[in-house]
Amino acid sequence: MGAQLRVYKRRIRAVTATKKITKAMEMIAASRIVKAQRKVAASMPYATELTRAVTAVATGSNTKHALTTEVEAPTRAAVLLITSDRGLAGGYSSNAIKQADRLTERLRAEGKEVDSYIVGRKGVAYYGFRERKVAESWTGFTDSPAYADAKRVAAPLIEAIQTDTAEGGVDELHIVYTEFVSMMTQNAVDGRMLPLSLDQAAEETGTKGEILPLFDFEPSAEDVLDALLPRYVESRIYNALLQSAASEHAARRRAMKSATDNAGDLIKSLSRLANAARQAEITQEISEIVGGASAMADATAGSDK
């Protein structure tokens, strides 16, 4: 076997092995998308009703609270960025990072300092490589987040919003995550968690324009909002983690399918080149045999004379 043919065959074996791996990863990601979608759907009713409750309390009272009250001149904001722990998911993490960069630039243009909180190894590595300051980070659960993970992420953010800015607190909480639209579409989006916009909350819960009932608060509206604040932040973060997980699996499935298809095309191309190289070897061998036979015939004819 010629050297060129050996090279082609070695490359075909390597690409075939890679194709098997990418195909397996595609199938795994596809199976996980369904589970992630179910978790997203299951989390929506709780998040919607909790937002509805917060809206009702804020509308039915005049209490000033960090959950619903706008700061007149905000000077500091926290941005929570959700990325992935693993790669091979196309532009999933990079799109979220770019969205966070745009949000950070916008907040700084408004005169606000920004504290960054990162979920996922990709985001942590990106900020670490560029030596950007990170207030806190979490890794190890992005592909299958639990509510306990959301509580762990929410804890320092809740503490920051409840702390005065002079002591290192923040006036606003923002979140950047990837919204799962469909198997083919996932969009990196940003939103403000706190203070809660009542108009936005009414749109999310479908109560815009409705007349809300009057409530009596025990022991007080402020105590009720204090109790609802951590639940609201945790539910928003949990829903964002779930949507990001579904988006990550969808992006990985799409990337692995593309890699599998490309591997198949490359195998076909290499097979054609290998066939051409083998044909060239056969042709060369036939030419050598014919040439040798002709030489022997000439030599025999010469000796007969």
Side-chain angles (χ1 to χ4, degrees), residues 64-296:
K64 290 187 177 181
H65 194 275
L67 185 58
T68 57
T69 304
E70 295 273 359
V71 178
E72 290 186 3
T75 59
R76 198 176 188 90
V79 174
L80 173 63
L81 167 62
I82 299 176
T83 63
S84 67
D85 285 323
R86 298 186 295 127
L88 301 177
Y92 165 76
S93 292
S94 61
N95 290 337
I97 291 171
K98 290 176 183 177
Q99 187 69 22
D101 286 344
R102 286 192 288 268
L103 174 61
T104 299
E105 291 175 3
R106 188 168 71 246
L107 293 173
R108 286 175 176 165
E110 295 172 359
K112 302 170 187 174
E113 296 183 34
V114 177
D115 292 341
S116 297
Y117 295 79
I118 312 294
V119 173
R121 291 189 179 92
K122 290 299 179 180
V124 173
Y126 179 88
Y127 276 64
F129 180 77
R130 286 157 182 78
E131 298 182 350
R132 296 183 184 179
K133 184 178 179 182
V134 176
E136 198 157 346
S137 62
W138 303 266
T139 59
F141 55 82
T142 60
D143 60 344
S144 183
Y147 194 81
D149 299 318
K151 291 183 68 174
R152 188 151 52 93
V153 173
L157 293 169
I158 295 170
E159 182 180 356
I161 197 67
Q162 292 177 327
T163 304
D164 190 83
T165 52
E167 300 175 2
V170 298
D171 298 316
E172 297 176 354
L173 292 183
H174 296 261
I175 186 169
V176 178
Y177 65 99
T178 306
E179 180 185 27
F180 182 85
V181 180
S182 67
M183 295 285 283
M184 298 301 298
T185 305
Q186 301 87 41
N187 299 324
V189 297
D190 65 81
R192 192 181 71 177
M193 286 192 292
L194 295 178
L196 175 65
S197 171
L198 297 182
D199 290 338
Q200 180 182 351
E203 289 182 2
E204 291 178 358
T205 57
T207 58
K208 189 170 185 179
E210 291 185 8
I211 299 176
L212 297 175
L214 296 177
F215 292 92
D216 290 329
F217 305 107
E218 291 290 344
S220 67
E222 185 175 1
D223 291 331
V224 172
L225 288 172
D226 284 339
L228 289 176
L229 173 61
R231 305 291 180 271
Y232 173 76
V233 175
E234 289 166 6
S235 68
R236 285 291 301 272
I237 292 176
Y238 183 52
N239 182 264
L241 287 171
L242 292 177
Q243 294 222 39
S244 295
S247 299
E248 177 184 347
H249 295 316
R252 181 168 291 113
R253 186 201 67 83
R254 192 166 59 252
M256 292 301 97
K257 184 180 186 307
S258 177
T260 302
D261 294 342
N262 290 338
D265 293 340
L266 183 57
I267 290 172
K268 290 179 182 178
S269 176
L270 290 172
S271 296
R272 284 194 295 268
L273 292 173
N275 291 336
R278 182 163 55 247
Q279 186 63 43
E281 285 186 8
I282 293 172
T283 303
Q284 179 66 27
E285 289 176 0
I286 292 174
S287 298
E288 291 175 356
I289 292 171
V290 172
S294 298
M296 291 179 63

Side-chain angles (χ1 to χ4, degrees), residues 53-63 68 198 217 225:
V54 172
T55 304
V57 176
T59 305
S61 68
N62 295 322
T63 303
T68 57
L198 297 182
F217 305 107
L225 288 172

